[in-house]
Amino acid sequence: MKFSKKATLGLLFSLTLIVAGCGQKSASDANTASTGTSVPVETETAKLNVQVSFYPMYEFTKNVAGDLADVHTLVPAGMEPHDWEPTPQDIASIEKADVLVYNGAGMESWIDQVTGSLSNASLIQVEASKGINLLEGGEHDHHQEDSETTEHDHDHEHANEATTEAHDHDHADEATAEEHGHDHDAEAEAEEGHDHDHGGLDPHVWLSPALAVKEVRNIEAGLAQAAPEHAEQFKQNADAYIAQLESLDQDFKAAVTDSKRKDFITQHAAFGYLAKEYGLQQVPIAGLSPEQEPSAAQMASVIDFAKEHQVKTIFFETLVSSKVSETIASEVGAKTAVLNPIEGLTEEEIAAGMDYISVMRQNLEALKLALNE
C-alpha cells in the first residue's frame, strides 16, 4: 500500500501537537512539582533557538550566530537530505523555534506544508537562497549548457510576513504535486524526469563560494530580525566568515584560470553553480538528486563524452553509492575521486573536525588535479 508524500506529512502533522504538548513543561513547573511551591528561576539572557534544515545551513548559521544562539540541524549527520522528511518530533522542534533557516529552491520539498501547519506566528523563516538567480535543472546537462538562468521569484507568503519583507515564493513543485498527486514512486519519478520535488530548479547554490556569501547575508538579516539587540555582533561574525568565503572564491578563480581542461564528470548535477561561477563545464551522470538512477542512454552519453575528451577522473560523492561512477571509470579507463557536494558530513568527517571551508578546499584540490591531467 503506497502513501503519497503529502499524505505522509499530513499524518505527521496530526501527531505533532501531541509531541509538542508532551514536551512543554517550564522550569517553574518543574520546581513546583518537586517542591510543592513555585520557586522563581534565575535565567541568563536566553539564546535564540534556531532550527536549520541541513548541514550547509548549520555551518553558515553557526558562524553568524556565534554564542548567541543554539543551532540545531534537522537532517541527521550522514543522511542524504534530498528525500529526508521531518518526524513529528522535528515538527515540534520547529514549532518551538525562534528562527528556521532553510536553503529553499526546492531543496526542502517539505517546507511549505510543514510551515503552513505551524501555529508559531512569531517564527522567523529565513530562505537562504532568496534573491539568487537560480539555474534550471537542464542547464547541468552538457548538451544544454547554453540554457538561460531563471529569476528566483517566490510567491509564497510565510507566517512572519507581517514583520519581514514578503517572500515571493513560486514553488513549481507545489503545482506539480497537485497535478500529479505525488503518487509516483522513485522509479516512476526517474522515468518521467522528476528531480525529487526540486521543481526543475537546482538548489545547490552553497557550492559556489560567491553565492554562499549571499546566503550568509540572508541568514544574518534573519538573525538580526529575531534579536535586533545583537545585530552588530551578527554583522561582525558574518563579515569574518565571509572573508574566509571570499578567500576561497579567489583561490578557485586562480586555480582554474590556466587549467588544461574546463570539463569534469560528476556523480550528480550538484556543481552547476560552481561550474558557472568559474567558467567550467559540469557533465553529470545523474540529475539533481543523487538517488536518481541514470538511464542506459545517459550512461552511454557520459561514456562517449569521457572517451572523446579523454577524461581521466570520474568524481563520486560520500553520502551515496559510488557504483555508477566506478562503472563508468572502469569502462573508459579512468580513476575515481571524491567531489563532495557537502549535503551533509559523515561521522568520520565530523570526528576529523571538517567543515564547509575545509571540505571545499579538498574539492578545490581534487578539481585542480582533474583539470590538469
Side-chain angles (χ1 to χ4, degrees):
M1 183 176 181
K2 295 182 180 178
F3 292 92
S4 69
K5 182 176 287 186
K6 181 176 287 187
T8 302
L9 284 174
L11 290 173
L12 292 178
F13 300 151
S14 67
L15 298 174
T16 300
L17 289 178
I18 298 174
V19 175
C22 291
Q24 291 179 342
K25 187 171 185 179
S26 68
S28 60
D29 291 337
N31 283 326
T32 300
S34 61
T35 66
T37 57
S38 179
V39 179
V41 178
E42 294 184 5
T43 59
E44 298 178 357
T45 302
K47 293 184 178 182
L48 289 175
N49 176 354
V50 182
Q51 299 290 322
V52 303
S53 56
F54 68 117
Y55 175 70
M57 300 302 100
Y58 171 84
E59 173 81 5
F60 299 162
T61 302
K62 188 62 179 173
N63 275 280
V64 175
D67 296 329
L68 299 174
D70 289 323
V71 183
H72 306 277
T73 310
L74 293 166
V75 179
M79 181 172 288
E80 211 292 318
H82 282 264
D83 292 325
W84 178 87
E85 292 181 9
T87 66
Q89 290 84 358
D90 294 322
I91 299 171
S93 295
I94 296 171
E95 181 72 69
K96 293 182 285 186
D98 300 306
V99 182
L100 171 64
V101 179
Y102 63 100
N103 183 76
M107 184 66 187
E108 300 89 351
S109 60
W110 46 268
I111 193 70
D112 290 333
Q113 195 169 3
V114 168
T115 57
S117 74
L118 301 177
S119 60
N120 180 2
S122 63
L123 176 68
I124 292 176
Q125 300 174 40
V126 180
E127 183 178 29
S129 65
K130 185 172 183 283
I132 293 175
N133 289 338
L134 298 179
L135 296 174
E136 294 282 0
E139 292 181 63
H140 301 298
D141 191 320
H142 57 281
H143 298 302
Q144 302 179 25
E145 61 189 29
D146 293 327
S147 299
E148 296 295 323
T149 58
T150 65
E151 190 69 28
H152 186 193
D153 289 330
H154 297 285
D155 291 327
H156 174 69
E157 293 185 359
H158 294 289
N160 62 320
E161 181 184 357
T163 56
T164 60
E165 63 181 295
H167 287 256
D168 294 330
H169 201 84
D170 192 8
H171 285 303
D173 55 309
E174 289 183 355
T176 303
E178 293 176 3
E179 179 180 352
H180 294 289
H182 272 254
D183 289 330
H184 302 295
D185 58 22
E187 291 182 2
E189 286 184 357
E191 290 172 0
E192 297 184 18
H194 291 269
D195 273 317
H196 293 270
D197 298 325
H198 293 313
L201 297 176
D202 178 5
H204 302 87
V205 294
W206 64 89
L207 288 169
S208 162
L211 297 182
V213 169
K214 296 182 179 181
E215 293 207 298
V216 169
R217 287 301 186 198
N218 283 338
I219 292 168
E220 177 202 339
L223 294 179
Q225 182 182 341
E229 68 275 17
H230 298 307
E232 183 56 34
Q233 186 61 59
F234 293 143
K235 183 180 185 306
Q236 291 178 17
N237 293 345
D239 289 346
Y241 188 62
I242 284 172
Q244 297 182 58
L245 294 174
E246 290 175 340
S247 175
L248 180 64
D249 175 51
Q250 292 302 313
D251 289 343
F252 266 94
K253 289 177 180 177
V256 304
T257 298
D258 298 319
S259 60
K260 293 180 181 179
R261 61 188 312 126
K262 301 297 182 184
D263 51 62
F264 62 98
I265 296 177
T266 187
Q267 186 159 334
H268 88 286
F271 296 91
Y273 294 100
L274 183 146
K276 180 179 175 64
E277 187 70 33
Y278 305 116
L280 301 175
Q281 179 184 354
Q282 173 189 227
V283 182
I285 300 170
L288 292 175
S289 171
E291 301 295 342
Q292 184 180 1
E293 289 289 336
S295 66
Q298 287 174 307
M299 291 279 286
S301 177
V302 173
I303 288 171
D304 289 343
F305 183 92
K307 289 179 176 179
E308 179 183 350
H309 294 83
Q310 299 182 332
V311 176
K312 295 180 172 59
T313 299
I314 308 297
F315 286 114
F316 68 97
E317 54 199 65
T318 54
L319 295 183
V320 295
S321 171
S322 60
K323 182 178 179 180
V324 173
S325 295
E326 291 170 353
T327 298
I328 291 178
S330 176
E331 180 71 22
V332 303
K335 65 179 183 295
T336 59
V338 172
L339 197 63
N340 195 332
I342 324 182
E343 293 174 347
L345 297 183
T346 65
E347 295 290 351
E348 292 77 15
E349 288 169 333
I350 294 172
M354 302 293 290
D355 58 16
Y356 173 89
I357 298 291
S358 59
V359 174
M360 282 298 290
R361 290 204 171 277
Q362 287 184 342
N363 284 345
L364 174 58
E365 293 305 313
L367 274 174
K368 284 166 65 176
L369 291 174
L371 296 176
N372 288 286
E373 292 176 320

